[in-house]
Amino acid sequence: MVEKPNDIHGVVTFLDVLGWKGVYDRQPDAIANLTRLIAGVMTRAKEQQRGRILREVVVKSISDTIAIFTFCADDETSLAIEIHGELCSWLIPASIDAELPMRGATAFGEFEVHENIFVGKAVDEAAAWHEQGDWIGIHLTPSAEFVFKAIATRGVWTEYSPPTKNRLGWKPHCVNWTRDWSDRPKEIGHIKNKFRQLGPIVPEIAGKFINTLLFVEAMNPEPEVAPAIRSV
């Protein structure tokens, strides 16, 4: 059970797998691969919180959804959001490698957790927003965006207009999971190969892939001569 502090505010991140329905026909070992992703983010959560934040970073999972929780004091909020971003900056490319690409959202507010039961305003907001994503990536919800102070960041969160189903046209902070790339053309080629393996690339799937590649291209400090999205 997660300790409930006097103030029950904190950071909540929800992520789920795109295309989980019918995944067994495409990837019989999907459960084992998803289990490895969950174990990986759990290990990194312990490493990231050590010496940085007082309370525990807790990782839960239900079916194809991974939920990350951190209770925090007011002066720890931006750091807690930063830690969630660092976890997601590993999880997003790892999920692509595992051919279980994920999207998600990070919220801030009140919540409670007991075993695999989650309730609270931040839970409701993260759950609603993570399903709006029309890409492979993660962004802050309004509650988290309103409290996040970018001065605390080391570059994992960057302002970008995430593609959402309702086309809201806003520009919150999103996880830049490409920030550590040293060979961008090689990494982009690898992602495209993974996307091809996830085929057939029907229109509704192609849109998510293209939106993801547009984000990757926007994160390039030195734009390529040829657009990254030229071929999927």
Side-chain angles (χ1 to χ4, degrees), residues 4-60:
K4 180 180 176 182
N6 292 331
D7 59 355
I8 56 174
H9 291 80
V11 179
V12 177
T13 296
F14 273 28
L15 304 102
D16 70 352
V17 176
L18 290 168
W20 185 252
K21 183 179 179 180
V23 71
Y24 188 77
D25 294 330
R26 173 173 56 82
Q27 190 182 133
D29 54 350
I31 292 177
N33 288 336
L34 182 57
T35 299
R36 280 190 285 271
L37 288 175
I38 295 167
V41 78
M42 284 180 171
T43 298
R44 284 162 179 80
K46 293 179 181 179
E47 295 171 352
Q48 292 289 349
Q49 77 183 54
R50 189 176 298 120
R52 299 175 67 191
I53 194 166
L54 290 177
R55 298 186 179 99
E56 185 180 5
V57 179
V58 176
V59 180
K60 301 282 188 177

